[in-house]
């Protein structure tokens, strides 16, 4: 702004100092003009306000820079690039995946136990049938029953080993995921 209050032709911003040094031409004797003291009071108020705003702006810029520096120092960033620190969404997604994996492992263990119980029940039923036949006689039936019993025991043992291997195999990643989750603050 120039001394008459119009915007400066060079487009510079109005500063508090420019307002303090601004003067207005006196009105000619034929016209009524402004009283000088109120104009100067307004100018002083405007200058004080601009000074306060400029100081606040400087303080906010310094705070913003301090926060940016802290973010860089702590390797925190947006999801646009790798920062070494997972985002909240990534941590939540990992937690959901881990929970889903644990539920799947639990369901598989339950299914293996159910299959094992069914195989044992079937073996018991066959043994019961064979013992009833033994009471009715027959050497050939006894050998066949022993062979069938051995076969069913092998199946039950195989199911038990398979269930244990599955549980061991899938329990290790879940345990590692829990350690990562605990380190990640979940």
């Amino acid at each position: 702004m120039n001394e008459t209050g119009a915007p400066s032709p060079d487009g510079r911003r109005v500063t508090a100092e420019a307002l303090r040094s601004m003067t207005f031409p006196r009105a000619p004797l034929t016209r009524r003009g402004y009283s000088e003291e109120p104009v100067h009071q307004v100018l002083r108020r405007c200058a004080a306000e601009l000074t306060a705003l400029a100081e606040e702006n400087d303080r906010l810029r310094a705070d913003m820079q301090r926060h940016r520096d802290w973010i860089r120092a702590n390797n925190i960033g947006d999801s646009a690039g790798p920062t070494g620190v997972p985002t909240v969404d990534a941590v939540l997604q990992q937690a959901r995946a881990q929970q889903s994996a644990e539920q799947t492992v639990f369901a598989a263990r339950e299914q293996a136990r159910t299959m094992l119980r069914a195989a044992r029940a079937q073996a018991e039923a066959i043994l019961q049938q064979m013992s009833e036949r033994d009471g009715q006689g027959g050497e050939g039936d006894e050998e066949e029953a022993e062979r069938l019993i051995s076969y069913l025991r092998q199946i039950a043992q195989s199911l038990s080993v398979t269930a244990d291997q599955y549980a061991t195999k899938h329990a290790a990643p879940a345990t590692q995921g829990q350690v990562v989750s605990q380190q990640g603050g979940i």
Side-chain angles (χ1 to χ4, degrees), residues 77 79 85-96 186:
S79 59
V85 177
T87 62
V88 172
D89 290 337
V91 171
L92 291 175
Q93 186 176 9
Q94 180 184 6
R96 279 188 233 112
I186 294 179

Side-chain angles (χ1 to χ4, degrees), residues 7 28 32 44 87 94-95 132 154 170-171:
R32 293 181 56 187
R44 283 191 291 271
T87 62
Q94 180 184 6
E132 288 175 6
Q154 287 175 353
H170 292 287

Side-chain angles (χ1 to χ4, degrees), residues 3 23 71 75 82 96 122 137 151 155:
E3 292 180 22
T23 59
I71 288 170
N75 202 21
R96 279 188 233 112
Q122 188 178 7
Y151 174 71
I155 289 175

